[in-house]
Amino acid sequence: MLLKYFYDDALAQASYMVGCQKTGEAAIIDPSRNIDTYFDTAEKEGMTITKVLETHIHADFVSGAREMAERSSATIYYSLEGEGDESGEYKFDSSLPQQGVRDGDQIKLGNVTFDVWHTPGHTPEHITFLLTDGAASDEPLGMFTGDFIFVGDVGRPDLLEKAAGVKDSAKKGAEQMFHSLEKAKEMDPTLQIWPGHGAGSACGKSLGSIPTTTLGYELKTNPALQYNDEKNFTDFLLDEQPVPPAYFAVMKKVNKEGAPLLKDQKTPLRYGSNVKKMDNILEADVTVVDTRSREAYSQSHIPGSINIPYDSSFTNWAGSLISYDKPVYFIASSYTFAEIIEAMNAIGLDKTAGFFTPAIVESFEEEHGTGQYEVISPEDAYEKQNNNELQILDIREDHEYEAEHVENAKHMVINYLPEKGDDLPDKTLALYCGSGARSAIATSILKSKGFDVKNIKGGFMRWKKENLPTASE
């Protein structure tokens, strides 16, 4: 048997290849949309990809199931356990090779067997695949748990309610998760666990960074597996879950039937540093994303653009803050163009229209002038708020704000700024987060809306260090 691990750092998303070396067949579990890496590995190992296994309808990335089925004629195996529940029903095109499965079914891949186990909680249709290498043993070796059990955490049950608007599904999902975990506690503790995500994923609140684990280790160390009382467990699981990125709702719709094929996409164009072209773009209903550092953006930027630095959290923030309904233009270094396109493909932001290099900012400055924003110290912000010269705004998560925040600060989570930011007070705003990184992005969003905005240097950590007044809910 062959087992290969693939990991997308930008989305903290894991996928797997399992192959039978006797027959040369391979299956991909929870593939990402950029499937070339699977083909590369399969060719290297002398395998043909014949099956795609989906643990659930994903919310945090575009599944590559349809892409793989179209390009390799692989059969998609998906859960039928969500039938009757609109949020959990797949609707793949009937022309795709596909096979619905239920709890107790088996999927054969040469000498390899996948046993289907229904594990609702994160979503109603969620299934786990128990892997048995028949050439070595009749006992399962491990399980592909998707968003069921992670290293140090379990899948959050509130996404359907918060991201997709399915009323009362959070509590129901938490109760289902409790019973799924109770069944897991009765299984062989030596089973390996291959989860669908690692640290940094928004599908849980405290995922570990170790790629794999065992059931026995999680039984000892995973906080979610220490509860024997359903109510205490559900209270724990629903507490302090972060606001889901806005794109999760889009992903749930896209992954029900499969994303548009990459071959049908238009290739984003590269534009020069022509200011007239940028002027025309800014007059249209589009989004311009400046991917330079927050320091560079604060000192000089094209008015109307927003700043999402191209770093490890870029994809998450892009999906959270960029509209899926408008063409998107990026200001980025030329060597990152291909990486940005791949990142946008991964979350289904398929309206990438083009790129400008950072030289456009210099050209724009020479012809029109550019925008700036001030980075101020916590002490300066404190004094100015006391003098009614500005309003301090906390853009952190609800649980962060409730635990402790700047005294007299208003609160709006950064994810809500694109749609609800216009409701903020019409006065100078000074923003903060934990360290200053999130608030820099938020500052650019409010600047693009016409607000007079400042970013508080060092965020809440520096505010606390300087012993300035705080409060709690």
Side-chain angles (χ1 to χ4, degrees), residues 179-352:
H179 293 289
S180 294
L181 291 172
E182 287 297 292
K183 292 178 182 177
K185 291 177 183 179
E186 299 173 2
M187 301 176 75
D188 183 352
T190 67
L191 283 169
Q192 294 186 54
I193 289 177
W194 302 295
H197 294 287
S201 169
C203 288
K205 55 183 176 179
S206 58
L207 282 72
S209 57
I210 301 170
T212 65
T213 183
T214 65
L215 178 58
Y217 186 78
E218 294 307 304
L219 288 171
K220 291 180 180 179
T221 63
N222 191 321
L225 277 85
Q226 309 311 308
Y227 289 87
N228 295 314
D229 177 80
E230 181 177 308
K231 185 180 185 308
N232 289 339
F233 170 81
T234 56
D235 289 345
F236 160 80
L237 191 57
L238 294 172
D239 186 41
E240 297 188 358
Q241 291 287 4
V243 173
Y247 76 97
F248 276 26
V250 179
M251 296 300 91
K252 292 298 288 187
K253 294 177 182 177
V254 165
N255 287 326
K256 277 176 167 289
E257 56 189 45
L261 299 175
L262 294 177
K263 69 179 178 65
D264 296 331
Q265 279 190 7
K266 292 182 178 179
T267 302
L269 300 176
R270 174 174 175 174
Y271 296 92
S273 54
N274 186 289
V275 175
K276 185 175 181 180
K277 180 63 181 177
M278 178 59 78
D279 287 340
N280 292 338
I281 287 171
L282 291 170
E283 289 174 1
D285 189 18
V286 303
T287 303
V288 177
V289 181
D290 189 331
T291 67
R292 295 175 303 148
S293 69
R294 67 190 189 197
E295 292 81 9
Y297 182 90
S298 69
Q299 294 166 16
S300 178
H301 61 263
I302 294 174
S305 66
I306 65 171
N307 178 220
I308 305 179
Y310 187 65
D311 56 23
S312 60
S313 60
F314 171 78
T315 309
N316 178 68
W317 288 123
S320 299
L321 304 171
I322 298 176
S323 170
Y324 275 71
D325 300 323
K326 301 177 182 180
V328 185
Y329 293 84
F330 291 95
I331 298 172
S333 300
S334 57
Y335 63 85
T336 64
F337 287 178
E339 295 174 3
I340 290 173
I341 291 173
E342 188 170 302
M344 296 303 92
N345 287 343
I347 57 173
L349 257 168
D350 293 348
K351 292 195 174 184
T352 301

Side-chain angles (χ1 to χ4, degrees), residues 385 391-417 424-425 429-435 438-439 442 446 454-456 459-461 463 469-473:
Q385 176 157 282
Q391 172 64 57
I392 294 177
L393 178 68
D394 185 323
I395 57 88
R396 299 176 301 160
E397 295 283 347
D398 289 333
H399 68 88
E400 294 177 283
Y401 176 82
E402 291 164 3
E404 191 174 19
H405 57 263
V406 168
E407 190 175 66
N408 298 319
K410 287 193 175 295
H411 180 231
M412 182 177 286
V413 178
I414 182 174
N415 302 55
Y416 301 145
L417 292 180
L424 290 167
L429 299 172
L431 276 56
Y432 76 90
C433 59
S435 65
R438 283 176 288 173
S439 58
L446 293 182
K454 307 177 189 297
N455 189 21
I456 298 177
F460 193 59
M461 288 190 293
W463 186 280
T470 63
S472 60
E473 297 288 312

